[in-house]
């Protein structure tokens, strides 16, 4: 697709960005020295609309109590709001049942929770058996949160950790799929959309092979659920992890979706209050899902805030969000390609990729790029390895500069980025 | 534009034309230091001579302009001086970097290294400036142990 004909500004492409920006008060603030804020770091964490802020504030002001255990009026209002957030999130990702939505503190916890179920002596379910000779499959483009929990699992159980390589273009290399995912494979866990490359991975061929060999499959959807319509029934995987703060919701709240029959078979991850059915001094029985996995007082207001975030995104329309970001990405890929000495790390086109674009500038370290962009132009990008060090090693680079777009970004902001990069080159040239 | 003042001309000069870069023989000790938050790294060798002199500081590494320029300035300052003098500069440089921009730099002690004063206002970048200098201190101690 050519990109220059798409101008995702107010009144075009269906998304009224100017109106949307009014929902995000932080975008209008000035930085010290009178610089306007140009926020291009939503893959790191997104900003929050007033609808989310007001919902959380209103709950704290008028309804707050503990959930699930307080019999008084506030307790039941809080419980109702908390559980209704679960309903909203279940509907948002197409979960067949609300009980399949587990609140965690982030996507990392969700992945750790699943990893904990494998090779666990308290879990006799055959699907979670894991030991020496068994294999776990991830990929080279994973965020550390989808690498380290599996490394820990391999160390605990003696299982072998294997991974899909990444092509020069930044795509998952599945040419060795049939050998890599085999009869010894117990779980395949890959990222849905890369937080560095922007690549959106095709799930179906890998899932088909996993099913063939009887392995389970998990998706790290932290970067996809905020940016496109995701339906777990359509995807067909077994587990899906994502986090609230990247989808206009608050931090401190994440989600694990899992197939009910698997969640039922899995052992509790954290023990504590509200995850039990009955407790004796020497043993306990556990609450049914989702509460089996929600030990202790949960992030109540954060969960309710995430419910409001889902309402907000639904009201805008996820297809609209995706279309807008695609137009921005096309615009940015074209504009960045014009900068001499700039190399994009990841797909150069908009097919099967999201609005996250990472790049290197010849002879200039990303930390220097980020510092000048921020300090001179108020442009917030992320620099470093973005918690994906193995991927950077794969490309033989220590770090990249990453720009990432969301529903509130404009082509003007991309123009500002391009001007900023030209200035960076002048300073260090 | 605070950061532009951080990127002093002298720092950019050292970044673009690093002094004494590259690992050389002979050496008494070699160390490898990394900054895990940004992936900057330096390998640094020290060769001591008679009379407490520093005969050579050679280094290689990768990182931002601040970390690479700091290694270059260190090379210029330490090579040919005495161990004692150079460690005094390291201490003064460390004090300046960790002073959050509130410390008055002693230019007589620091020489060219005074150009890094602006970095102290950026806590995230202080480690970049200190990377090679901490490696140097480590390498000198190991060299002395080896002697």
């Amino acid at each position: 697709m050519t990109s220059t004909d798409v101008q995702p500004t107010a009144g075009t492409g269906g998304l009224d960005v100017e109106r949307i920006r009014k929902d995000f008060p932080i975008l209008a603030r000035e930085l010290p020295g009178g610089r306007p804020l140009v926020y291009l770091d939503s893959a790191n964490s997104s900003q929050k609309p007033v609808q989310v802020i007001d919902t959380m504030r209103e709950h704290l002001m008028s309804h707050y109590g503990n959930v699930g255990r307080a019999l008084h009026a506030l307790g039941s209002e809080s419980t109702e709001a908390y559980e209704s957030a679960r309903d909203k999130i279940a509907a948002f990702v197409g979960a067949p049942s609300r009980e399949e939505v587990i609140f965690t503190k982030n996507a990392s916890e969700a992945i750790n929770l699943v990893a904990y179920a494998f090779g666990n002596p308290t879990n006799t379910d055959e699907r979670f058996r894991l030991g020496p000779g068994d294999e776990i499959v991830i990929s080279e483009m994973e965020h550390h949160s989808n690498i380290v929990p599996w490394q820990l699992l391999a160390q605990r159980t003696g299982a072998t950790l294997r991974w899909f390589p990444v092509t020069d273009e930044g795509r998952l290399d599945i040419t060795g799929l049939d050998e890599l995912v085999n009869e010894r494979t117990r779980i395949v866990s890959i990222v849905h959309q890369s937080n560095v490359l922007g690549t959106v991975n095709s799930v179906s061929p890998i899932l088909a092979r996993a099913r063939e060999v009887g392995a389970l499959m998990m998706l790290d959807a932290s970067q996809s659920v905020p940016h496109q319509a995701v339906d777990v029934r359509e995807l067909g995987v077994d587990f899906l992890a994502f986090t609230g703060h990247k989808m206009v919701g608050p931090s401190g709240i994440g989600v694990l979706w899992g197939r009910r029959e698997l969640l039922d078979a899995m052992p509790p991850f954290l023990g504590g209050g509200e995850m039990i059915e009955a407790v004796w001094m020497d043993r306990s029985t556990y609450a049914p899902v989702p509460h089996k996995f929600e030990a202790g007082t949960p992030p109540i207001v954060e969960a309710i805030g995430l419910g409001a975030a889902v309402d907000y995104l639904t009201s805008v329309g996820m297809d609209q969000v995706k279309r807008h970001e695609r137009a921005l990405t096309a615009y940015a890929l074209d504009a960045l390609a014009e900068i001499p000495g700039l190399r994009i790390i990841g797909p150069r086109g908009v097919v099967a990729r999201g609005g996250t674009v990472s790049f290197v500038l010849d002879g200039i370290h990303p930390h220097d790029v980020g510092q000048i962009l921020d300090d001179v132009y108020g442009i917030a990008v992320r620099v470093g390895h973005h918690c994906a060090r193995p991927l950077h090693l794969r490309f033989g680079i220590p770090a990249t500069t990453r720009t990432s777009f969301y529903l509130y970004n404009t082509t003007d902001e991309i123009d500002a980025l391009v001007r900023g990069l030209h200035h960076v080159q002048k300073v260090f040239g | 534009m605070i950061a532009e003042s951080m990127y002093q001309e002298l720092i950019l000069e050292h970044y673009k034309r690093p002094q004494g870069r590259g690992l050389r023989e002979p050496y008494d000790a070699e160390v490898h230091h990394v900054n895990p938050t940004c992936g900057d790294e330096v390998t640094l060798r020290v060769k001591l001579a008679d009379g407490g002199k520093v005969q050579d500081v050679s280094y290689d590494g990768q990182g931002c302009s601040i970390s690479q320029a700091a290694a270059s300035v260190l090379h210029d300052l330490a090579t040919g001086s005495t161990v004692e003098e150079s460690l005094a500069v390291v201490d003064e440089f460390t004090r300046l970097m960790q002073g959050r921009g509130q410390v008055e730099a002693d230019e007589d002690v620091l020489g060219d290294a005074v150009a890094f004063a602006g970095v102290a206002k950026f806590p995230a970048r202080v480690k970049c400036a200190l990377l090679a200098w901490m490696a140097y201190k480590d390498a000198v101690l190991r060299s002395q142990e080896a002697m």
Side-chain angles (χ1 to χ4, degrees):
Chain A
M1 127 178 209
T2 58
S3 51
T4 39
D5 56 329
V6 191
Q7 293 290 321
T9 45
T12 59
L15 198 68
D16 186 348
V17 188
E18 289 315 312
R19 188 186 59 74
I20 282 175
R21 286 179 74 84
K22 289 197 176 72
D23 291 334
F24 293 79
I26 204 169
L27 298 177
R29 72 158 281 191
E30 267 193 2
L31 300 173
R35 290 164 293 156
L37 170 69
V38 178
Y39 192 76
L40 299 175
D41 197 21
S42 295
N44 196 350
S45 201
S46 70
Q47 296 300 343
K48 324 302 173 198
V50 284
Q51 289 84 343
V52 168
I53 299 165
D54 286 350
T55 299
M56 294 175 73
R57 182 183 154 84
E58 167 64 16
H59 192 82
L60 285 165
M61 296 272 285
S62 309
H63 307 287
Y64 182 81
N66 209 334
V67 293
R69 65 205 85 186
L71 284 177
H72 45 68
L74 294 184
S76 65
E77 285 176 21
S78 243
T79 303
E80 196 182 312
Y82 178 76
E83 292 301 335
S84 130
R86 196 189 309 278
D87 291 331
K88 291 173 183 181
I89 291 151
F92 190 65
V93 296
S97 135
R98 65 185 307 282
E99 281 83 22
E100 296 179 338
V101 172
I102 316 284
F103 285 126
T104 60
K105 78 167 181 269
N106 45 38
S108 292
E109 185 188 330
I111 297 170
N112 277 275
L113 190 163
V114 173
Y116 185 76
F118 285 89
N120 189 318
T122 66
N123 186 3
T124 51
D125 191 285
E126 177 60 17
R127 291 166 296 188
F128 294 91
R129 176 180 55 76
L130 188 84
D134 293 327
E135 296 175 358
I136 304 158
V137 175
I138 57 173
S139 91
E140 216 176 4
M141 67 164 79
E142 300 308 317
H143 187 284
H144 296 162
S145 62
N146 200 27
I147 299 176
V148 184
W150 305 112
Q151 290 175 342
L152 293 171
L153 175 62
Q155 286 160 11
R156 277 199 300 274
T157 58
T160 303
L161 182 63
R162 303 185 64 189
W163 49 89
F164 287 99
V166 169
T167 67
D168 290 343
E169 204 217 347
R171 300 283 181 191
L172 214 54
D173 180 355
I174 61 166
T175 48
L177 173 64
D178 286 354
E179 192 283 318
L180 189 61
V181 178
N182 58 54
E183 282 66 26
R184 298 183 298 276
T185 310
R186 312 297 300 156
I187 172 86
V188 179
S189 184
I190 61 163
V191 70
H192 196 197
Q193 176 178 325
S194 162
N195 74 316
V196 176
L197 306 163
T199 304
V200 176
N201 288 316
S202 170
V203 175
S204 49
I206 300 170
L207 179 65
R209 179 61 184 159
R211 290 287 177 257
E212 234 170 65
V213 300
L216 295 175
M217 182 157 180
M218 175 160 202
L219 276 190
D220 172 3
S222 304
Q223 300 283 352
S224 61
V225 167
H227 301 286
Q228 64 173 86
V230 167
D231 186 299
V232 293
R233 281 166 305 196
E234 241 170 67
L235 284 169
V237 296
D238 299 301
F239 301 103
L240 188 88
F242 57 99
T243 191
H245 71 97
K246 294 187 200 292
M247 49 190 289
V248 311
S251 61
I253 184 80
V255 173
L256 169 68
W257 169 84
R259 286 202 289 122
R260 175 71 190 256
E261 45 161 347
L262 294 169
L263 294 173
D264 283 340
M266 288 157 62
F269 177 49
L270 299 172
E274 281 302 311
M275 52 75 73
I276 54 91
E277 180 184 63
V279 177
W280 295 265
M281 281 313 292
D282 61 343
R283 72 201 145 86
S284 302
T285 53
Y286 309 118
V289 293
H291 300 107
K292 179 170 78 172
F293 295 110
E294 293 179 4
T297 295
I300 300 165
V301 184
E302 286 74 9
I304 293 164
L306 181 55
V310 159
D311 282 344
Y312 183 81
L313 291 173
T314 304
S315 74
V316 175
M318 288 311 291
D319 290 336
Q320 296 272 46
V321 170
K322 183 180 176 180
R323 201 173 309 136
H324 175 68
E325 288 179 26
R326 176 177 277 239
L328 286 176
T329 306
Y331 187 88
L333 288 170
D334 278 0
L336 292 172
E338 299 284 306
I339 297 178
L342 184 147
R343 181 161 64 101
I344 289 167
I345 306 297
R348 316 285 197 279
V350 290
V351 177
R353 80 144 22 248
T356 291
V357 183
S358 296
F359 57 86
V360 289
L361 277 181
D362 266 357
I364 309 174
H365 193 279
H367 280 90
D368 293 322
V369 177
Q371 189 97 56
I372 296 280
L373 289 179
D374 174 43
D375 204 66
V376 183
Y377 296 95
I379 300 171
V381 294
R382 186 165 169 190
V383 295
H385 54 50
H386 321 302
C387 300
R389 191 166 180 271
L391 180 67
H392 284 75
L393 293 175
R394 150 70 181 86
F395 282 97
I397 46 179
T400 49
T401 301
R402 180 184 75 180
T403 176
S404 51
F405 313 126
Y406 210 179
L407 71 167
Y408 40 64
N409 288 119
T410 67
T411 50
D412 286 352
E413 292 178 304
I414 295 168
D415 292 340
L417 172 68
V418 170
R419 280 196 303 277
L421 291 172
H422 281 300
H423 181 70
V424 168
Q425 288 187 318
K426 218 170 69 196
V427 173
F428 293 96
Chain B
M1 301 196 186
I2 323 158
E4 298 243 316
S5 72
M6 177 176 93
Y7 294 112
Q8 294 284 316
E9 203 50 44
L10 187 130
I11 294 179
L12 292 175
E13 274 305 305
H14 275 275
Y15 175 53
K16 290 169 194 169
R17 276 174 285 281
Q19 304 297 303
R21 192 186 170 94
L23 294 169
R24 287 179 291 277
E25 309 264 355
Y27 61 94
D28 300 317
E30 176 183 292
V31 299
H32 180 73
H33 280 211
V34 299
N35 181 351
T37 53
C38 62
D40 285 5
E41 50 186 281
V42 66
T43 305
L44 186 140
R45 292 175 176 177
V46 166
K47 172 66 187 163
L48 301 182
D50 294 340
K53 287 267 188 188
V54 180
Q55 186 182 315
D56 191 22
V57 180
S58 69
Y59 64 95
D60 204 357
Q62 57 174 24
C64 64
S65 59
I66 302 298
S67 74
Q68 299 306 295
S72 174
V73 169
L74 167 80
H75 164 86
D76 276 3
L77 288 173
T79 307
S81 75
T82 68
V83 168
E84 202 180 334
E85 284 163 2
S86 69
L87 289 180
V89 182
V90 172
D91 285 348
E92 178 60 16
F93 189 68
T94 309
R95 194 178 71 89
L96 174 65
M97 286 300 105
Q98 293 174 344
R100 300 195 159 265
Q102 309 296 315
V103 169
E104 193 66 38
D106 187 341
E107 202 170 342
D108 292 340
V109 177
L110 287 176
D112 276 359
V114 78
F116 289 84
V119 178
K121 292 186 209 110
F122 296 86
R125 305 303 294 278
V126 166
K127 276 187 182 169
C128 311
L130 284 175
L131 181 67
W133 292 62
M134 292 299 107
Y136 172 72
K137 200 171 174 178
D138 185 14
V140 166
L141 290 175
R142 292 189 198 204
S143 299
Q144 288 171 328
E145 280 165 17
M147 281 180 117

